[in-house]
Amino acid sequence: MPVAPESTVETRNDAGAVERTPVDFWFDPLCPWAWMTSRWLLEVEKVRRIAPSFHVMSLAYLNQDKDIPEDYRRMLEPAWGPVRVAVAAAQAEGDDVLLPLYTALGNRIHLEGRAIDRALVEESLAEVGLPQALADAMDDPQYDDAVRKSHHLGMDQVGMDVGTPVISVEGVAFFGPVVTPAPKGEDAGRLWDGVVLVAGTPGFFELKRSRDRDPDFS
């Protein structure tokens, strides 16, 4: 029988619990590339000893003072709503709600191709058992300080000239990977091994090529 790669072999602590490496992931529900990276990370969790935690960043906040094309700025106009709701939900119910809420939002935004509006947000909240009244946060700037705080916890590790997704693991943070479609199974694990290897190399900053295809959510 083939021997599993070392990174897939589970180890246990003295209490018998499986030990997994914490991984922090920052997302904006609007971004299709972050969506695919998040689905890849969930695949990685099946084949590598990692424990992902999800956090909010904001493309609208990131780009608010930047010279960006008008069509991109218009695309970002509804982006504040979902991140405010995500922060409000986490404040009310704890950070563990962020992944299921992100999944509910992302399925509607990216897989169904729906526009971001209150109905979409209310449906997403209902799907994960959260009060629909949290949708009021969409238009409430009182949550913006919490959005900015969460945003900077991730973005300050990599610099403000990148976007989402941002991943942080064992003291190493990086933007990406940007990949389509999201690899599955052991393919996801091998990509994880490579990304962590290069990102953890002292002095390594960038590996990039131009995208030649649209997001593939299959």
Side-chain angles (χ1 to χ4, degrees):
M1 178 179 295
V3 177
E6 182 179 356
S7 55
T8 69
V9 177
E10 292 184 345
T11 59
R12 296 177 180 271
N13 59 24
D14 292 341
V18 175
E19 294 181 340
R20 291 180 174 269
T21 300
V23 176
D24 293 295
F25 180 90
W26 278 264
F27 68 92
D28 185 316
L30 181 72
C31 179
W33 301 103
W35 171 255
M36 281 185 294
T37 304
S38 73
R39 302 308 99 176
W40 161 73
L41 194 63
L42 295 177
E43 286 289 316
V44 174
E45 186 180 16
K46 300 174 184 177
V47 295
R48 296 294 186 268
R49 297 192 308 269
I50 67 167
S53 297
F54 286 73
H55 312 277
V56 171
M57 64 86 66
S58 171
L59 286 171
Y61 171 61
L62 177 69
N63 289 284
Q64 64 182 357
D65 297 322
K66 292 185 178 180
D67 183 14
I68 58 176
E70 282 305 312
D71 58 345
Y72 186 58
R73 192 172 298 280
R74 285 193 297 271
M75 185 190 72
L76 292 177
E77 287 176 358
W80 276 106
V83 295
R84 286 169 173 161
V85 170
V87 163
Q91 289 179 354
E93 303 291 340
D95 289 346
D96 287 347
V97 306
L98 286 173
L99 172 56
L101 180 56
Y102 178 34
T103 296
L105 290 165
N107 283 336
R108 290 166 171 80
I109 295 170
H110 304 298
L111 302 190
E112 298 177 14
R114 293 174 53 184
I116 295 173
D117 57 18
R118 187 179 178 102
L120 180 148
V121 170
E122 287 181 344
E123 289 175 21
S124 301
L125 290 166
E127 180 180 316
V128 297
L130 294 171
Q132 292 191 2
L134 286 170
D136 292 343
M138 292 182 71
D139 303 309
D140 192 341
Q142 73 167 316
Y143 294 101
D144 291 357
D145 282 346
V147 170
R148 286 189 285 267
K149 180 179 178 181
S150 178
H151 178 98
H152 281 286
L153 284 173
M155 300 305 293
D156 288 356
Q157 298 183 62
V158 294
M160 299 297 283
D161 59 341
V162 299
T164 180
V166 165
I167 293 174
S168 179
V169 55
E170 295 189 314
V172 176
F174 51 88
F175 164 72
V178 176
V179 60
T180 184
K184 296 177 173 60
E186 185 56 25
D187 288 341
R190 284 194 295 267
L191 177 58
W192 173 258
D193 297 340
V195 168
V196 173
L197 175 64
V198 298
T201 300
F204 179 86
F205 294 104
E206 188 169 358
L207 180 67
K208 187 174 182 179
R209 60 182 175 182
S210 297
R211 294 196 298 265
D212 60 1
R213 66 195 71 179
D214 293 329
D216 178 354
F217 302 114
S218 61

